[in-house]
Amino acid sequence: MIFDTHAHYDDEAFEADRDAIMEEIRKSNIKRVVNVGANLRSSETSIALADKYDFVYAAVGVHPDDANEVNEEGIERLRELSRNEKVVAIGEIGLDYYWNKDNADEQKEAFKRQIDLARELSLPIIVHSREAAKDTFDILSEKKAGDMGGVIHCFSYSPEIAEEAVKMGFYIGIGGVVTFKNSKKLKETAERISMENIVLETDCPYLAPNPFRGKRNYSLYLEYVVRTIASLKGMSEEEVMRETYRNACKMYGLEKE
Ligand code: NI
C-alpha cells in the first residue's frame, strides 16, 4: 500500500482524463492521496476532489507565489474550508526565493499567518521551501511549528538540514527527484535519515521519476521512487511502502487502514 502525501489532481494537466486516472488509482496499490491546495481556488478544488473520491484527502493553503491572497479574508476562507472533515493539513505554505525574492516580506508574513492558523486548528503543515532554507527554518522555529509537525515537501536541501528538520518534528517528503541521476544530495539525505521520518509524494503533475522524467507524473509512478529508496537503504520495497504509509497516516492524523 502506498500513500501519496502530495498531489495536484485538480491541475489542468488532468483536465482531459481526470476521472479515468482516479479510477486507475482506485484499482491500484495507491490507497490514499492528499490533494494539496496552492491558493484559495485550488484549496476549494482539492476539497471537491476529496468529496468525490473516498481515497482522496485535502490540504488547504496558499503557496508563496500567491502570498497576496493571505489577508484577513483569505485566512477566514481557509478557516471555513478547513471545517470539511477530509481536510488533513494546512498547505502548501512556505517560502520560494527561486521564483521571486522581491516579495520576501510578503511571503514570510503569509507563511507565519498560516502557521498560526494551523496551530489554531491543530493541523500539520505542508511546507514548500525553495532557496530559502534559513528564513524557512527561522520561522518554523520562531513559531514552534514542530508542535503541529508536518512535512518539508519536495525536500531539496542538504542532509544536515534534513536532520535539523526531523529534530524539529517534521517528516521529509521524497518524490521523483530521488530517481534522477544528478540528485546526489537527495540520495544522501534518504540514506542518512531514518525510514521513520520519510514520506512519499508525487507533487504530480510535476517531477515524474525516471524513466518518465519530464512527462506528466501521477501516483502510480511512486513505484519507481519506492524502488530507489529501497535500494539506497538496503531494505525491501515492501518495507519502504509499509513504513512510509504508516508515517503518512501518523502525520495526517488518519487511522491506519
Ligand atoms: Ni506541490
Side-chain angles (χ1 to χ4, degrees):
M1 292 200 298
I2 290 181
F3 197 138
D4 184 352
T5 63
H6 192 123
H8 301 284
Y9 284 110
D10 56 306
D11 192 280
E12 60 186 15
F14 296 104
E15 211 51 59
D17 59 352
R18 185 173 296 112
D19 285 336
I21 291 277
M22 298 318 266
E23 278 315 309
E24 192 186 345
I25 294 172
R26 181 195 297 288
K27 290 183 192 134
S28 75
N29 67 341
I30 310 295
K31 288 297 166 211
R32 283 174 168 166
V33 174
V34 172
N35 204 84
V36 178
N39 52 39
L40 294 176
R41 176 81 197 114
S42 63
S43 295
E44 287 164 8
T45 49
S46 292
I47 290 178
L49 278 174
D51 282 339
K52 186 165 180 190
Y53 298 100
D54 55 353
F55 60 91
V56 177
Y57 297 81
V60 298
V62 176
H63 183 286
D65 284 355
D66 285 312
N68 63 342
E69 284 189 358
V70 188
N71 48 27
E72 210 61 42
E73 271 172 20
I75 289 287
E76 183 47 34
R77 183 69 188 128
L78 292 174
R79 188 182 282 120
E80 271 167 33
L81 290 172
S82 73
R83 295 201 180 104
N84 183 295
E85 60 178 3
K86 291 191 87 184
V87 170
V88 294
I90 297 295
E92 53 188 289
I93 63 176
L95 303 175
D96 194 323
Y97 297 165
Y98 177 81
W99 289 111
N100 191 355
K101 214 186 160 170
D102 301 337
N103 68 343
D105 287 337
E106 189 180 39
Q107 290 189 37
K108 285 191 226 174
E109 189 53 32
F111 188 27
K112 289 181 189 174
R113 290 181 85 158
Q114 293 181 95
I115 296 173
D116 290 341
L117 180 66
R119 179 176 295 281
E120 173 195 320
L121 301 166
S122 298
L123 287 173
I125 59 177
I126 299 170
V127 179
H128 171 104
S129 178
R130 196 162 177 206
E131 297 195 2
K134 178 163 187 333
D135 286 357
T136 301
F137 285 93
D138 282 353
I139 289 173
L140 290 175
S141 137
E142 173 198 323
K143 289 281 174 189
K144 298 193 171 51
D147 293 352
M148 288 78 78
V151 58
I152 312 298
H153 130 77
C154 195
F155 190 83
S156 60
Y157 300 128
S158 67
E160 291 75 22
I161 294 179
E163 283 171 337
E164 192 189 319
V166 164
K167 245 185 256 162
M168 287 176 78
F170 288 93
Y171 289 90
I172 304 299
I174 297 183
V177 174
V178 79
T179 69
F180 299 169
K181 274 205 186 77
N182 55 358
S183 71
K184 200 166 155 268
K185 226 170 38 173
L186 184 59
K187 287 192 172 82
E188 235 177 277
T189 297
E191 276 174 343
R192 183 99 72 94
I193 64 171
S194 158
M195 203 59 226
E196 274 179 13
N197 306 115
I198 297 176
V199 292
L200 302 177
E201 60 170 48
T202 52
D203 203 19
C204 66
Y206 314 106
L207 299 173
N210 270 334
F212 304 105
R213 187 171 183 175
K215 303 233 166 67
R216 182 180 75 169
N217 195 8
Y218 80 135
S219 306
L220 269 72
Y221 290 165
L222 280 174
E223 162 190 345
Y224 297 89
V225 176
V226 166
R227 197 169 298 164
T228 303
I229 295 176
S231 96
L232 286 169
K233 296 193 86 68
M235 296 171 85
S236 71
E237 292 175 24
E238 282 306 315
E239 267 175 295
V240 171
M241 287 190 265
R242 195 173 53 236
E243 296 235 13
T244 52
Y245 189 88
R246 190 201 54 200
N247 297 343
C249 292
K250 199 170 156 201
M251 173 171 96
Y252 287 134
L254 294 169
E255 292 289 322
K256 229 182 110 192
E257 273 173 356

